[in-house]
Amino acid sequence: AQSVTQPDIHITVSEGASLELRCNYSYGATPYLFWYVQSPGQGLQLLLKYFSGDTLVQGIKGIEAEFKRSQSSFNLRKPSVHWSDAAEYFCAVATPGGGNKLTFGTGTQLKVEL
Amino acid sequence: EAGVTQFPSHSVIEKGQTVTLRCDPISGHDNLYWYRRVMGKEIKFLLHFVKESKQDESGMPNNRFLAERTGGTYSTLKVQPAELEDSGVYFCASSQDYRGEQYFGPGTRLTVT
């Protein structure tokens, strides 16, 4: 069965600093890969997704993620964090042909210091 | 365009009682998913509807959970009887096709005391 690991439960960065959130997955082939964000009181919002092709994916809010097959990773990066980026971030995978049901990591809570 | 809505936003019930959660997907979305997040754990898949049919219910924890999707529109998730371990946040999501983006609702926080 596939699984997703987000090793950092909490991360604190200063506003303006760069951000990298780690995600590793376990699956026999290349799954579909996603990053979602949840702000307080809101539903999960899709930031970006990877199905195939270019391994560097651009998303909304200036975010990008890079798929590295050799490391089974899909890390999210943002060059400069804003206070409004404080939220919980989830990495997720889906099995191609598997109905698109998502398997999530445990989430990373991002705190931004002003 | 209205997003995915869920009702209620929060429910507190006693062990042994029944609770019904409702999800209204985005109009025209055939695919509807239920997920659950127990405190401190990851969000887990419960089941997937395509229109009114259950496509995949492999994540349903036990037979105390019953999901329906009337006429392929809104969906309900009933827990009967509720147990303490059922506490958590229940999310609903919908998508237009099976590879499409899943749009999530804000969730229903269920507390069983």
Side-chain angles (χ1 to χ4, degrees):
Chain A
Q2 61 209 38
S3 65
V4 179
T5 302
Q6 292 181 250
D8 303 305
I9 298 174
H10 298 278
I11 282 185
T12 300
V13 299
S14 299
E15 190 175 38
S18 63
L19 172 70
E20 181 170 31
L21 301 180
R22 295 182 291 166
C23 173
N24 292 93
Y25 66 89
S26 173
Y27 181 62
T30 299
Y32 299 149
L33 297 157
F34 308 82
W35 274 101
Y36 283 84
V37 63
Q38 185 183 22
S39 299
Q42 306 293 316
L44 280 74
Q45 180 185 19
L46 181 67
L47 292 171
L48 45 75
K49 61 188 176 188
Y50 173 80
F51 284 173
S52 64
D54 192 347
T55 57
L56 186 61
V57 182
Q58 301 297 323
I60 63 172
K61 303 186 179 186
I63 282 170
E64 66 179 26
E66 186 172 12
F67 167 58
K68 292 186 178 180
R69 186 190 310 273
S70 61
Q71 298 177 18
S72 297
S73 69
F74 190 55
N75 294 349
L76 179 152
R77 297 193 294 255
K78 185 170 186 180
S80 178
V81 169
H82 187 262
W83 63 267
S84 60
D85 293 324
E88 190 161 21
Y89 291 77
F90 297 93
C91 181
V93 304
T95 306
N100 208 24
K101 69 180 182 185
L102 297 170
T103 300
F104 285 89
T106 49
T108 297
Q109 187 72 49
L110 173 65
K111 179 180 176 182
V112 180
E113 289 183 333
L114 300 177
Chain B
E1 176 186 274
V4 176
T5 58
Q6 294 186 246
F7 183 83
S9 57
H10 193 181
S11 179
V12 181
I13 62 172
E14 292 183 353
K15 176 182 171 181
Q17 290 186 322
T18 297
V19 63
T20 300
L21 314 182
R22 173 171 170 143
C23 168
D24 286 79
I26 293 172
S27 178
H29 281 194
D30 288 340
N31 294 269
L32 187 149
Y33 303 81
W34 283 97
Y35 295 87
R36 175 175 76 170
R37 188 182 194 193
V38 172
M39 190 162 58
K41 301 281 184 84
E42 66 273 24
I43 301 168
K44 284 197 171 180
F45 167 81
L46 295 179
L47 86 160
H48 170 205
F49 284 100
V50 178
K51 297 185 179 178
E52 68 274 9
S53 300
K54 292 176 185 174
Q55 183 76 14
D56 181 352
E57 51 185 330
S58 61
M60 294 289 265
N62 51 60
N63 59 10
R64 294 185 294 103
F65 289 75
L66 175 64
E68 294 179 323
R69 189 176 183 194
T70 307
T73 55
Y74 71 91
S75 175
T76 58
L77 180 64
K78 180 190 286 188
V79 185
Q80 179 182 30
E83 298 289 345
L84 298 179
E85 64 264 24
D86 300 332
S87 296
V89 180
Y90 290 76
F91 293 100
C92 174
S94 71
S95 69
Q96 195 158 27
D97 59 65
Y98 81 98
R99 272 191 60 171
E101 174 181 350
Q102 291 185 35
Y103 293 85
F104 280 77
T108 293
R109 181 174 296 277
L110 175 64
T111 303
V112 183
T113 63

